[in-house]
C-alpha cells in the first residue's frame, strides 16, 4: 500500500536537537513501513501497489498513552477534589464495580473505543483490582488489535476492603494473568501496585518477585503526585529516604519502569530515575484537574529522565493526547522562567516517539517498533481530517509551515477530527 498525505513525525528528541520531519508518501508492506519518499517515486517503483489517499489534513504516528486507567472511563469529569478525596469518593467506588465480570466487559469496550477514537494505538494501561476484569481488558484489546501493556492493580491497605489483596494472592493472580496474556500478539504484562501509600512492604516485595519472574514484563505505578500523599508515604516507610526508594528497594526502578506524575520529585529521585533509565508519564490535564501541581519538565530534562505523555483518565479529562500536549504546553508557559517553552515538535514527540521509547517500542531492535514513520517501523497512524469549514480546517489551509500546521492540530484538534486510525497497517474500527 502506498500512503499519500501530509505525513509528520518526530523520531529524534527535540530536547536534544531533533525536530519535525515530513514526507509525502510511505510504502507499507505487511504492516511495516518499507520505504519513504515522494509519491511520484514510490508510485513509479511500485506501479501495481494499492494506493491510499490521505492528502486532506495531517497524518501522524498513532499516539502512545503511557498512563491511563481502564476502570475510570465512566467517571471522567469528577471535578473539584484533590487526589485522596477524589480517589475515595469518585474513582474507587467505580473501580469496585469491576468485580462484576459482565460490568467489566462493558467498561473495557467503552475504554478501548475511547482510546481508538482519540487516535491512541499503544497504551500502558492501569488495569483493575480484579483478575476477571483484567482478562476482559486483554481479551477486548486483542480483538480490536490495539497494543496494550497492562496488569492487575494491587493494594493491601488504606483503600476500601473490597479492593484489597494479599502478597501471595497478588503474586499468584498476576502470574496467572501474565501466563495467559504476556507476549501474546500485541499484549504485554505490567506489574502494577496502585501506589506505595496503599501497598505494604511485603506486597511491594511480591511485585518485585513477579516482575523478576516474568521476563520482559513492565512495571508501573504512581509517584510524587500530591503533597499530602507524599507525606503519608514517608510516614508509612520511615526507613526509606524518599518515595522512589519504596519501589527501588524491591527492584522496581529499571528500564522497564514507568512512573506516573512525579510532580514533586527531589534531585536524588531524578538522579536515580535517570541512572536506571526509568520513564515518567506526565499527565497534564489530571495534574490540573486535581490541582496536583505544575510539572517540573526542565528539571527532568536536566537530570536526563525520559518523559512521555499520559492522559490519566479518569482524573485526566479525556483520552486525547492532542489535549494533553496542549495542556503540557500551557503548564510550561505558566511556570514562567522555570518552565520549558515547547514547540509543536516537542508535543508530537512527547505524544508518540517518546512514549514508544518509554515502553521499549522504539528502534529496529524492538519487537514492535512504533511512534514514528521510519523504514522498518510499524504503520501505526492517525489521520486528522477536519470537517470542511471548521476552524482547524481553516487553520491547516492557512498554515505557512509544517510546524505551524502541527501547532494548530494541538491547539484545535479533537476526536471529531480523527477520520481513521491504523495499527500495524490495518485500519481499526471505532464502533
Ligand atoms: Zn493514575
Amino acid at each position: 500500500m502506498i500512503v499519500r498525505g501530509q505525513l509528520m513525525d518526530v523520531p529524534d528528541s527535540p530536547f536534544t536537537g531533533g525536530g519535525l520531519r515530513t514526507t509525502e508518501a510511505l510504502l507499507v508492506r505487511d504492516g511495516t513501513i518499507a520505504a519513504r519518499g515522494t509519491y511520484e517515486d514510490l508510485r513509479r517503483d511500485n506501479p501495481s501497489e494499492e494506493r491510499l489517499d490521505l492528502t486532506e489534513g495531517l497524518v501522524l504516528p498513532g499516539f502512545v498513552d503511557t498512563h491511563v486507567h481502564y476502570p475510570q472511563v465512566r467517571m471522567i469529569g469528577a471535578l473539584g477534589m484533590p487526589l485522596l478525596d477524589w480517589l475515595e469518593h469518585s474513582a474507587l467506588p467505580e473501580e469496585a464495580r469491576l468485580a462484576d465480570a459482565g460490568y467489566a466487559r462493558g467498561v473495557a469496550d467503552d475504554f478501548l473505543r475511547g482510546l481508538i477514537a482519540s487516535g491512541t494505538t499503544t497504551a500502558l494501561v492501569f488495569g483493575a483490582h480484579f483478575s476477571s476484569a483484567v482478562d476482559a481488558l486483554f481479551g477486548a484489546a486483542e480483538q480490536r488489535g490495539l497494543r496494550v501493556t497492562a496488569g492487575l492493580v494491587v493494594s493491601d491497605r488504606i483503600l476500601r476492603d473490597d479492593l484489597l489483596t494479599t502478597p501471595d494472592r497478588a503474586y499468584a493472580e498476576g502470574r496467572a494473568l501474565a501466563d495467559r496474556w504476556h507476549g501474546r500478539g500485541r499484549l504485554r504484562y505490567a506489574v502494577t501496585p496502585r501506589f506505595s501509600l496503599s501497598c505494604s512492604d511485603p506486597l511491594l516485595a511480591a511485585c518485585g518477585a513477579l516482575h523478576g519472574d516474568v521476563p520482559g514484563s513492565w512495571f508501573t505505578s504512581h509517584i510524587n503526585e500530591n503533597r499530602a500523599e507524599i507525606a503519608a508515604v514517608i510516614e508509612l516507610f520511615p526507613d526509606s529516604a524518599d518515595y522512589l526508594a519504596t519501589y527501588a528497594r524491591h527492584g522496581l526502578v529499571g528500564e522497564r519502569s514507568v512512573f506516573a506524575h512525579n510532580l514533586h520529585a527531589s534531585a536524588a529521585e531524578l538522579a536515580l530515575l535517570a541512572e536506571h533509565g526509568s520513564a515518567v508519564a506526565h499527565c497534564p490535564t489530571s495534574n490540573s484537574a486535581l490541582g496536583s501541581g505544575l510539572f517540573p519538565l526542565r528539571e527532568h530534562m536536566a537530570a536526563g529522565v525520559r518523559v512521555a505523555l499520559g492522559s490519566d483518565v479518569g482524573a485526566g479529562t479525556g483520552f486525547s493526547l492532542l489535549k494533553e500536549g496542549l495542556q503540557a504546553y500551557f503548564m510550561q508557559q505558566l511556570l514562567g522562567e522555570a518552565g520549558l517553552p515547547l514547540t509543536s515538535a516537542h508535543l508530537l514527540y512527547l505524544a508518540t516517539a517518546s512514549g514508544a521509547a518509554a515502553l521499549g517500542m522504539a528502534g529496529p531492535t524492538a519487537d514492535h517498533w512504533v511512534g514514528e514513520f521510519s523504514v522498518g517501523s510499524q504503520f501505526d497512524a492517525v489521520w486528522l481530517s477536519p470537517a470542511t469549514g471548521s476552524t482547524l480546517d481553516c487553520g491547516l489551509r492557512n498554515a505557512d509551515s509544517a510546524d505551524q500546521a502541527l501547532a494548530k492540530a494541538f491547539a484545535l484538534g479533537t476526536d471529531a477530527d480523527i477520520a481513521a486510525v491504523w495499527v500495524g497497517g490495518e485500519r481499526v474500527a471505532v464502533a
Side-chain angles (χ1 to χ4, degrees):
M1 164 171 83
I2 296 171
V3 182
R4 182 187 197 182
Q6 198 176 353
L7 296 130
M8 300 182 177
D9 68 346
V10 185
D12 300 316
S13 172
F15 297 101
T16 52
L20 184 61
R21 178 173 72 163
T22 61
T23 191
E24 189 192 1
L26 299 172
L27 174 65
V28 177
R29 288 215 168 119
D30 299 326
T32 303
I33 296 169
R36 303 166 47 92
T38 66
Y39 179 65
E40 275 314 305
D41 286 352
L42 292 182
R43 203 181 55 156
R44 187 192 60 235
D45 296 345
N46 307 275
S48 59
E49 197 74 33
E50 178 197 345
R51 294 163 205 172
L52 181 63
D53 187 339
L54 308 177
T55 44
E56 292 291 323
L58 306 179
V59 184
L60 307 175
F63 298 130
V64 180
D65 189 337
T66 60
H67 185 70
V68 56
H69 293 254
Y70 129 64
Q72 296 176 9
V73 57
R74 294 183 179 178
M75 48 71 58
I76 295 169
L79 303 179
M81 285 171 274
L83 173 67
L84 301 178
D85 295 335
W86 174 87
L87 273 172
E88 186 184 341
H89 299 296
S90 289
L92 299 182
E94 173 66 8
E95 297 219 7
R97 292 189 188 105
L98 276 81
D100 178 330
Y103 187 82
R105 278 194 296 277
V107 172
D109 273 340
D110 290 347
F111 173 76
L112 293 168
R113 202 181 301 121
L115 286 180
I116 297 167
S118 297
T120 295
T121 51
T122 296
L124 175 58
V125 178
F126 237 77
H129 286 270
F130 309 98
S131 195
S132 55
V134 179
D135 278 322
L137 172 69
F138 277 128
E142 181 174 64
Q143 216 169 34
R144 288 172 183 268
L146 286 196
R147 303 183 196 279
V148 165
T149 303
L152 181 71
V153 180
V154 296
S155 292
D156 65 348
R157 64 180 173 193
I158 289 175
L159 308 186
R160 46 190 286 158
D161 286 349
D162 50 357
L163 297 180
L164 301 183
T165 185
T166 64
D168 286 349
R169 196 177 125 209
Y171 182 94
E173 290 183 353
R175 188 65 196 255
L177 281 162
D179 286 346
R180 285 199 284 283
W181 300 105
H182 182 58
R184 180 162 149 175
R186 295 167 177 163
L187 308 176
R188 300 181 308 179
Y189 195 76
V191 175
T192 314
R194 184 155 206 121
F195 54 170
S196 294
L197 184 62
S198 66
C199 299
S200 69
D201 220 32
L203 182 61
L204 291 170
C207 289
L210 181 60
H211 189 36
D213 291 347
V214 178
S217 62
W218 286 78
F219 172 76
T220 192
S221 195
H222 296 99
I223 195 166
N224 291 325
E225 180 173 3
N226 166 294
R227 297 217 184 262
E229 167 217 14
I230 296 166
V233 167
I234 297 308
E235 207 165 295
L236 284 167
F237 294 88
D239 51 348
S240 283
D242 50 39
Y243 201 149
L244 187 62
T246 65
Y247 299 118
R249 66 206 287 182
H250 298 295
L252 296 170
V253 180
E255 279 185 356
R256 284 180 277 113
S257 303
V258 179
F259 293 94
H261 305 305
N262 209 32
L263 291 166
H264 311 287
S266 69
E269 287 173 308
L270 289 171
L272 194 76
L273 289 169
E275 183 189 329
H276 290 275
S278 303
V280 167
H282 171 32
C283 308
T285 71
S286 165
N287 299 160
S288 305
L290 297 175
S292 303
L294 294 167
F295 184 68
L297 181 59
R298 185 183 286 282
E299 286 77 358
H300 279 71
M301 289 300 149
V305 180
R306 296 187 289 146
V307 174
L309 282 181
S311 67
D312 198 21
V313 158
T317 59
F319 290 102
S320 173
L321 289 195
L322 293 173
K323 183 159 80 170
E324 294 302 330
L326 182 64
Q327 190 69 20
Y329 167 82
F330 287 155
M331 272 198 174
Q332 295 308 309
Q333 293 294 100
L334 289 168
L335 276 164
E337 286 184 7
L340 202 53
L342 298 175
T343 65
S344 58
H346 288 104
L347 303 186
L348 185 60
Y349 176 73
L350 289 169
T352 56
S354 192
L359 300 184
M361 300 170 85
T365 56
D367 287 343
H368 304 265
W369 179 11
V370 303
E372 60 192 87
F373 292 142
S374 290
V375 172
S377 70
Q378 296 286 298
F379 184 67
D380 286 15
V382 48
W383 180 31
L384 282 174
S385 181
T388 307
S390 66
T391 310
L392 178 55
D393 177 54
C394 162
L396 294 182
R397 289 184 194 286
N398 290 287
D400 293 331
S401 64
D403 289 272
Q404 209 179 76
L406 184 62
K408 290 173 189 296
F410 276 100
L412 291 162
T414 70
D415 289 6
D417 303 306
I418 292 178
V421 177
W422 290 261
V423 182
E426 299 281 330
R427 189 166 168 172
V428 288
V430 175

